Amino acid sequence: MPASHAHRLRRRWAVASVAAAAVAAAVVAVSLSNGANGADASEVALPPVHGGFDYQIGGEYTPPKGVDIVSRDRADSPADGLYNICYVNAFQVQPGERKQWPDDLLLRDKNGDLVIDEDWNEPLLDIGTAKKRERVADKVNTWIDGCADKGFDAIEPDNYDSYERSQDLLTPNDAKAFIALLSEHAHAQGLAIGQKNTAELLSGRKAAGLDFAVVEECGQYDECDAFAKAYDDHVVVVEYGEEGFAKACEGWGDRLSVVLRDVDVSTDDSEDYVRETC
């Protein structure tokens, strides 16, 4: 089961078609310059503003009443009649998937050792050159194709901020250039693409081709305002603590899609399951 942190307590993972009435208000023309290739303007469906949200990247289950938007891992299926976001780990490698990647696409330090996200025991992918970015994108784009084939509406590429854990071997520009490749491909498949956390890169969202945001703990870390302004309230928020949840609800509960989940994002049959909304 995929799980990870960005910097802080950030988590990641990954969603299908929306009922026509729910989607109608969310479909917008998104004109973007998607990185170096300059993709044509594309029309994609965005998550409905202030729609009920459930974060199910720890495993799918029947969405609770009132849910309009759900995020699920790429290995799972979309939820019928909802706006579905497909989680993919785009910048790091799941512990059990190292052998699926060519050795030269795993980031290594000056001693030749793998650069690891220690919180989740995940090697970072090497997106430090244009050629390597293209090769990594080729593989991740097959996952995006799978999300589209299943009927997801959008993708959630996680660990956009992995450069912060790269021992300065990767840069913010590497991350933006890489995600632009994913954005171009997602749009070609008719999928929206969300910015996962990483408020530091909000100013580059248009050039990167990003359409909405999936944000962990913006209440806890006072980032909700920045994401709401950047994405015109097309923001889904996950909080993992009562304090952050209370702050997010007080300040943004009438504008953004906010949910409180347990840290392990458990399924609803688990004794650890937590889910609350504003």
Side-chain angles (χ1 to χ4, degrees), residues 24-40:
V27 176
V28 295
V30 183
S31 298
L32 299 165
S33 173
N34 288 302
N37 293 327
D40 293 335

PDB file of all heavy atoms in Angstrom, residues 24-40:
ATOM      1  N   ALA A  24     -20.618  19.478 -14.561  1.00  0.00           N
ATOM      2  CA  ALA A  24     -20.901  20.610 -15.436  1.00  0.00           C
ATOM      3  C   ALA A  24     -20.299  21.895 -14.910  1.00  0.00           C
ATOM      4  O   ALA A  24     -19.705  22.681 -15.659  1.00  0.00           O
ATOM      5  CB  ALA A  24     -22.415  20.774 -15.593  1.00  0.00           C
ATOM      6  N   ALA A  25     -20.420  22.103 -13.608  1.00  0.00           N
ATOM      7  CA  ALA A  25     -19.910  23.338 -13.032  1.00  0.00           C
ATOM      8  C   ALA A  25     -18.403  23.323 -12.920  1.00  0.00           C
ATOM      9  O   ALA A  25     -17.776  24.360 -12.694  1.00  0.00           O
ATOM     10  CB  ALA A  25     -20.524  23.560 -11.648  1.00  0.00           C
ATOM     11  N   ALA A  26     -17.809  22.144 -13.050  1.00  0.00           N
ATOM     12  CA  ALA A  26     -16.377  22.030 -12.833  1.00  0.00           C
ATOM     13  C   ALA A  26     -15.564  22.021 -14.109  1.00  0.00           C
ATOM     14  O   ALA A  26     -14.345  22.079 -14.065  1.00  0.00           O
ATOM     15  CB  ALA A  26     -16.076  20.747 -12.055  1.00  0.00           C
ATOM     16  N   VAL A  27     -16.218  21.904 -15.261  1.00  0.00           N
ATOM     17  CA  VAL A  27     -15.472  21.856 -16.509  1.00  0.00           C
ATOM     18  C   VAL A  27     -15.075  23.258 -16.925  1.00  0.00           C
ATOM     19  O   VAL A  27     -15.912  24.139 -17.033  1.00  0.00           O
ATOM     20  CB  VAL A  27     -16.304  21.204 -17.629  1.00  0.00           C
ATOM     21  CG1 VAL A  27     -15.559  21.255 -18.946  1.00  0.00           C
ATOM     22  CG2 VAL A  27     -16.610  19.767 -17.265  1.00  0.00           C
ATOM     23  N   VAL A  28     -13.806  23.450 -17.126  1.00  0.00           N
ATOM     24  CA  VAL A  28     -13.304  24.759 -17.498  1.00  0.00           C
ATOM     25  C   VAL A  28     -12.278  24.602 -18.602  1.00  0.00           C
ATOM     26  O   VAL A  28     -11.644  23.559 -18.729  1.00  0.00           O
ATOM     27  CB  VAL A  28     -12.652  25.486 -16.296  1.00  0.00           C
ATOM     28  CG1 VAL A  28     -13.674  25.787 -15.227  1.00  0.00           C
ATOM     29  CG2 VAL A  28     -11.511  24.671 -15.734  1.00  0.00           C
ATOM     30  N   ALA A  29     -12.128  25.636 -19.396  1.00  0.00           N
ATOM     31  CA  ALA A  29     -11.073  25.616 -20.405  1.00  0.00           C
ATOM     32  C   ALA A  29      -9.778  26.018 -19.743  1.00  0.00           C
ATOM     33  O   ALA A  29      -9.676  27.083 -19.163  1.00  0.00           O
ATOM     34  CB  ALA A  29     -11.415  26.600 -21.523  1.00  0.00           C
ATOM     35  N   VAL A  30      -8.791  25.143 -19.806  1.00  0.00           N
ATOM     36  CA  VAL A  30      -7.514  25.403 -19.168  1.00  0.00           C
ATOM     37  C   VAL A  30      -6.474  25.619 -20.259  1.00  0.00           C
ATOM     38  O   VAL A  30      -6.039  24.675 -20.901  1.00  0.00           O
ATOM     39  CB  VAL A  30      -7.099  24.213 -18.272  1.00  0.00           C
ATOM     40  CG1 VAL A  30      -5.796  24.529 -17.565  1.00  0.00           C
ATOM     41  CG2 VAL A  30      -8.195  23.915 -17.275  1.00  0.00           C
ATOM     42  N   SER A  31      -6.077  26.850 -20.465  1.00  0.00           N
ATOM     43  CA  SER A  31      -5.094  27.166 -21.494  1.00  0.00           C
ATOM     44  C   SER A  31      -3.734  27.233 -20.848  1.00  0.00           C
ATOM     45  O   SER A  31      -3.477  28.091 -20.014  1.00  0.00           O
ATOM     46  CB  SER A  31      -5.430  28.508 -22.146  1.00  0.00           C
ATOM     47  OG  SER A  31      -6.684  28.436 -22.769  1.00  0.00           O
ATOM     48  N   LEU A  32      -2.849  26.311 -21.239  1.00  0.00           N
ATOM     49  CA  LEU A  32      -1.572  26.188 -20.574  1.00  0.00           C
ATOM     50  C   LEU A  32      -0.450  26.034 -21.583  1.00  0.00           C
ATOM     51  O   LEU A  32      -0.616  25.424 -22.620  1.00  0.00           O
ATOM     52  CB  LEU A  32      -1.577  24.943 -19.677  1.00  0.00           C
ATOM     53  CG  LEU A  32      -2.618  24.941 -18.550  1.00  0.00           C
ATOM     54  CD1 LEU A  32      -2.766  23.525 -18.004  1.00  0.00           C
ATOM     55  CD2 LEU A  32      -2.175  25.867 -17.454  1.00  0.00           C
ATOM     56  N   SER A  33       0.702  26.550 -21.217  1.00  0.00           N
ATOM     57  CA  SER A  33       1.906  26.255 -21.971  1.00  0.00           C
ATOM     58  C   SER A  33       2.647  25.199 -21.183  1.00  0.00           C
ATOM     59  O   SER A  33       3.227  25.477 -20.150  1.00  0.00           O
ATOM     60  CB  SER A  33       2.769  27.513 -22.105  1.00  0.00           C
ATOM     61  OG  SER A  33       3.997  27.208 -22.691  1.00  0.00           O
ATOM     62  N   ASN A  34       2.609  23.965 -21.645  1.00  0.00           N
ATOM     63  CA  ASN A  34       3.098  22.847 -20.862  1.00  0.00           C
ATOM     64  C   ASN A  34       4.568  22.596 -21.126  1.00  0.00           C
ATOM     65  O   ASN A  34       4.949  21.662 -21.802  1.00  0.00           O
ATOM     66  CB  ASN A  34       2.290  21.592 -21.171  1.00  0.00           C
ATOM     67  CG  ASN A  34       0.907  21.670 -20.586  1.00  0.00           C
ATOM     68  OD1 ASN A  34       0.786  21.834 -19.379  1.00  0.00           O
ATOM     69  ND2 ASN A  34      -0.106  21.590 -21.414  1.00  0.00           N
ATOM     70  N   GLY A  35       5.407  23.446 -20.544  1.00  0.00           N
ATOM     71  CA  GLY A  35       6.840  23.215 -20.634  1.00  0.00           C
ATOM     72  C   GLY A  35       7.366  23.441 -22.033  1.00  0.00           C
ATOM     73  O   GLY A  35       6.823  24.174 -22.841  1.00  0.00           O
ATOM     74  N   ALA A  36       8.486  22.746 -22.320  1.00  0.00           N
ATOM     75  CA  ALA A  36       9.238  23.025 -23.525  1.00  0.00           C
ATOM     76  C   ALA A  36       8.469  22.722 -24.798  1.00  0.00           C
ATOM     77  O   ALA A  36       8.703  23.337 -25.828  1.00  0.00           O
ATOM     78  CB  ALA A  36      10.534  22.204 -23.499  1.00  0.00           C
ATOM     79  N   ASN A  37       7.570  21.765 -24.754  1.00  0.00           N
ATOM     80  CA  ASN A  37       6.893  21.373 -25.980  1.00  0.00           C
ATOM     81  C   ASN A  37       5.707  22.248 -26.332  1.00  0.00           C
ATOM     82  O   ASN A  37       5.153  22.147 -27.425  1.00  0.00           O
ATOM     83  CB  ASN A  37       6.427  19.915 -25.865  1.00  0.00           C
ATOM     84  CG  ASN A  37       7.593  18.964 -25.819  1.00  0.00           C
ATOM     85  OD1 ASN A  37       8.614  19.221 -26.435  1.00  0.00           O
ATOM     86  ND2 ASN A  37       7.461  17.886 -25.070  1.00  0.00           N
ATOM     87  N   GLY A  38       5.270  23.101 -25.387  1.00  0.00           N
ATOM     88  CA  GLY A  38       4.187  24.025 -25.679  1.00  0.00           C
ATOM     89  C   GLY A  38       2.938  23.332 -26.153  1.00  0.00           C
ATOM     90  O   GLY A  38       2.491  23.522 -27.279  1.00  0.00           O
ATOM     91  N   ALA A  39       2.347  22.508 -25.304  1.00  0.00           N
ATOM     92  CA  ALA A  39       1.147  21.770 -25.700  1.00  0.00           C
ATOM     93  C   ALA A  39       0.007  22.719 -25.992  1.00  0.00           C
ATOM     94  O   ALA A  39      -0.061  23.824 -25.492  1.00  0.00           O
ATOM     95  CB  ALA A  39       0.744  20.813 -24.574  1.00  0.00           C
ATOM     96  N   ASP A  40      -0.923  22.270 -26.854  1.00  0.00           N
ATOM     97  CA  ASP A  40      -2.092  23.060 -27.169  1.00  0.00           C
ATOM     98  C   ASP A  40      -2.957  23.222 -25.932  1.00  0.00           C
ATOM     99  O   ASP A  40      -2.909  22.431 -24.989  1.00  0.00           O
ATOM    100  CB  ASP A  40      -2.908  22.373 -28.265  1.00  0.00           C
ATOM    101  CG  ASP A  40      -2.173  22.351 -29.590  1.00  0.00           C
ATOM    102  OD1 ASP A  40      -1.316  23.223 -29.806  1.00  0.00           O
ATOM    103  OD2 ASP A  40      -2.458  21.442 -30.383  1.00  0.00           O
TER     104      ASP A  40
END
